[in-house]
Amino acid sequence: MDFYRMGFNNTKRSNDIWLVAENRGDDVFKSTVQQLNIKIPLPQTTGEAQQISFKSLPDQRKGVKELLLTAQTTSGLPVNYYVKEGPAFVKDNKLVFTGVPPRAKLPLKVTVVAWQYGIPGKYQSALPVEQSFFIVP
């Protein structure tokens, strides 16, 4: 499972997966569409509580290519990240900058969210932690 800009705790948009199976049909069988909805409990509320430690990120100069993300959980489980806003994406625990958009004015805000979903019955979901910084000239 992976959460993105919709957020970890947005129960209207983050707690289910929709799948569709489709058969176009032919001369023998008519076409059909079948959908399936899988509900995901948000957040995990059973098990041991855990917290995320995510130190503030320093402002970055325009032209920097990437930044290592080093959040940790009290449970020792791995931390995941997503970019809430700004010209970047996360790959292998690194924040990769995509470049400043042509008409954007510096400083430009970037917000990264660290999250840990937990393990049902063993660890609760940790509250997501946001860190913001600016891309400066």
Side-chain angles (χ1 to χ4, degrees):
M1 231 180 350
D2 200 3
F3 295 95
Y4 196 53
R5 293 177 195 241
M6 287 298 155
F8 176 81
N9 52 5
N10 182 338
T11 55
K12 283 191 169 190
R13 299 194 183 258
S14 297
N15 69 331
D16 60 354
I17 299 171
W18 285 91
L19 303 172
V20 173
E22 176 183 359
N23 182 333
R24 295 183 188 267
D26 57 22
D27 293 337
V28 178
F29 298 99
K30 73 177 197 163
S31 65
T32 185
V33 175
Q34 184 66 48
Q35 65 184 18
L36 169 71
N37 180 295
I38 301 171
K39 294 285 188 184
I40 302 166
L42 281 181
Q44 290 292 334
T45 56
T46 60
E48 187 179 330
Q50 61 174 334
Q51 289 82 35
I52 295 175
S53 171
F54 189 18
K55 294 181 182 178
S56 62
L57 301 169
D59 289 348
Q60 300 294 306
R61 295 260 176 223
K62 180 181 175 183
V64 170
K65 300 293 183 201
E66 60 186 30
L67 176 65
L68 183 63
L69 301 171
T70 59
Q72 298 177 336
T73 60
T74 54
S75 66
L77 293 173
V79 177
N80 297 292
Y81 307 91
Y82 65 86
V83 177
K84 185 174 178 181
E85 61 182 331
F89 63 92
V90 176
K91 182 178 180 183
D92 300 327
N93 289 344
K94 292 181 184 172
L95 185 63
V96 180
F97 296 97
T98 59
V100 176
R103 295 186 203 164
K105 295 184 180 186
L106 298 178
L108 189 59
K109 187 176 182 181
V110 177
T111 302
V112 181
V113 179
W115 62 275
Q116 210 315 309
Y117 182 66
I119 299 174
K122 192 168 184 180
Y123 290 103
Q124 297 177 15
S125 297
L127 289 175
V129 178
E130 291 185 11
Q131 292 294 348
S132 295
F133 63 91
F134 291 92
I135 297 173
V136 296

